[in-house]
Amino acid sequence: MATTHVKEMKTLTEHLGKHQLKLTRQRELILGAFLRQEHITAEAMYHQLAKSDPHLGLATIYRTLNLFCDAGLAQARHFGSQTQYDNIAHKGHHDHLICTNCQKIVEFENEEIEQLQEDVARKNGFTITTHRLELYGLCSRCRH
Amino acid sequence: MATTHVKEMKTLTEHLGKHQLKLTRQRELILGAFLRQEHITAEAMYHQLAKSDPHLGLATIYRTLNLFCDAGLAQARHFGSQTQYDNIAHKGHHDHLICTNCQKIVEFENEEIEQLQEDVARKNGFTITTHRLELYGLCSRCRH
DNA sequence: TTGAAATTGATAAACCGTATCAATATCATA
DNA sequence: TATGATATTGATACGGTTTATCAATTTCAA
């Protein structure tokens, strides 16, 4: 973790410093695990990290993932009854096409749409830091 | 209600007939209230209808809004920790600009973006039934 | 090294939506 | 219109997800 995610680690420590928060073993551990994924739920991470640290509590994972959201490293997305925490770095400019029948997810990128989003934001006096675009429907297989 | 929402009433009764379901006083009442809004939560409707019918149960409202989804009159959308039921008739109006500092939400609609979304979906063999577009950033007041 | 303050783990509680079930309302049929 | 099979309702228990609580522990500035 230490050598591969220097940038994200810096983003986190800067956020911590700015808000009088502390860097803990658990936060480092969770950050390392989080950055390895594109998106994950708190529950999934709980099971995944049980091997590394059997005493790591679920509440700590929720708290930490929410902290990552505050720090701008993660983004919470409510899907069904659960919350997915998206890795901002991995996400980049990928938007999603999601099949509501088989749950298949196709990533896409569209520069024209991004541009129009900027236009909309500017017209309303907003400065965009991130966005989320999800198209729900049926994939070709499930339509039949 | 009776005279203004004839079309939606027909859609509902057709769905009811097709599935051996019955038209009840509660379903009529909830339909009338629902069609007056662009989107609403079950909880909000519960309080809103308490005046018209103090004994109307929350479970009935959930059941009925889900029924409207099945009938194609409504669409459920997970927003924050709650479920918003969108009025299909008003569809296309539920994209959002969200200020990450003050939580202000501005709704917008952009026909060009919608069109491009259709293009992307078609290229990937998808048929879109709904979508979610949220732009996160700072509003003009919070940027300063 | 010290100690004020933040964090943790365990778990209780809150929250949202669904399941259950006896009582009631609907509506096709006679 | 009256009947009765069946769908619906309201009240509430329940289940899953996330947050709040709090004593014990850890962090880190001085």
Side-chain angles (χ1 to χ4, degrees):
Chain A
M1 198 285 282
T3 55
T4 49
H5 302 304
V6 180
K7 188 180 139 210
E8 288 83 1
M9 189 65 190
K10 194 177 164 193
T11 302
L12 178 61
T13 52
E14 274 174 9
H15 178 85
L16 294 177
K18 211 175 292 179
H19 297 267
Q20 290 153 244
L21 305 176
K22 296 171 178 174
L23 181 62
T24 64
R25 183 180 59 76
Q26 290 88 340
R27 283 174 179 172
E28 283 194 88
L29 178 66
I30 295 170
L31 179 62
F34 176 67
L35 294 177
R36 253 176 261 127
Q37 344 256 338
E38 189 161 325
H39 49 74
I40 194 168
T41 63
E43 190 73 30
M45 179 165 284
Y46 179 61
H47 289 116
Q48 193 172 303
L49 290 182
K51 296 154 197 161
S52 314
D53 182 353
H55 294 293
L56 184 59
L58 184 56
T60 298
I61 294 182
Y62 272 107
R63 281 186 295 235
T64 305
L65 289 174
N66 286 333
L67 170 69
F68 291 172
C69 289
D70 293 342
L73 291 167
Q75 195 168 54
R77 182 167 46 95
H78 302 278
F79 193 78
S81 64
Q82 292 205 124
T83 301
Q84 290 277 346
Y85 291 87
D86 293 344
N87 180 341
I88 284 286
H90 260 234
K91 206 179 167 197
H93 281 312
H94 303 138
D95 293 321
H96 300 282
L97 261 165
I98 302 170
C99 179
T100 52
N101 186 246
C102 69
Q103 304 299 318
K104 176 182 175 187
I105 297 181
V106 174
E107 297 194 345
F108 71 89
E109 205 177 331
N110 187 299
E111 190 49 49
E112 286 181 85
I113 292 179
E114 310 263 318
Q115 189 54 57
L116 288 167
Q117 288 174 359
E118 289 292 341
D119 293 349
V120 167
R122 193 170 44 250
K123 275 181 206 153
N124 288 279
F126 274 66
T127 310
I128 298 182
T129 52
T130 179
H131 73 264
R132 168 189 306 163
L133 172 57
E134 288 159 8
L135 308 181
Y136 298 92
L138 294 175
C139 68
S140 52
R141 185 198 300 270
C142 291
R143 192 164 56 250
H144 308 307
Chain B
M1 199 282 281
T3 56
T4 50
H5 301 304
V6 181
K7 187 180 136 212
E8 289 82 1
M9 191 63 189
K10 194 177 163 194
T11 302
L12 178 61
T13 52
E14 275 175 10
H15 178 85
L16 295 177
K18 211 174 295 179
H19 297 267
Q20 289 154 246
L21 305 176
K22 295 170 179 176
L23 180 61
T24 64
R25 183 179 59 75
Q26 290 87 340
R27 285 175 177 170
E28 282 194 88
L29 178 66
I30 295 170
L31 179 63
F34 176 67
L35 293 176
R36 253 175 259 127
Q37 344 256 337
E38 189 162 324
H39 48 74
I40 193 167
T41 64
E43 192 74 32
M45 179 165 283
Y46 181 62
H47 289 116
Q48 194 172 304
L49 290 182
K51 297 155 196 160
S52 314
D53 181 353
H55 294 292
L56 185 59
L58 185 55
T60 298
I61 294 181
Y62 273 108
R63 282 186 294 233
T64 305
L65 290 174
N66 287 334
L67 170 70
F68 291 172
C69 289
D70 294 341
L73 291 167
Q75 209 163 60
R77 182 167 47 94
H78 300 279
F79 193 77
S81 63
Q82 294 203 126
T83 301
Q84 290 278 347
Y85 290 88
D86 293 345
N87 182 341
I88 281 289
H90 288 206
K91 200 181 169 249
H93 294 260
H94 50 43
D95 291 327
H96 298 112
L97 261 165
I98 302 170
C99 179
T100 52
N101 186 249
C102 71
Q103 304 300 318
K104 176 182 173 186
I105 297 181
V106 175
E107 298 194 345
F108 71 89
E109 189 185 356
N110 186 298
E111 189 49 48
E112 286 182 85
I113 292 180
E114 310 262 320
Q115 188 55 56
L116 288 167
Q117 288 174 0
E118 289 291 342
D119 293 348
V120 168
R122 193 170 44 249
K123 274 181 208 153
N124 288 277
F126 273 67
T127 310
I128 298 182
T129 53
T130 182
H131 73 264
R132 162 148 83 178
L133 173 56
E134 288 160 7
L135 307 180
Y136 297 91
L138 294 175
C139 67
S140 52
R141 182 198 302 269
C142 290
R143 193 165 52 252
H144 309 306

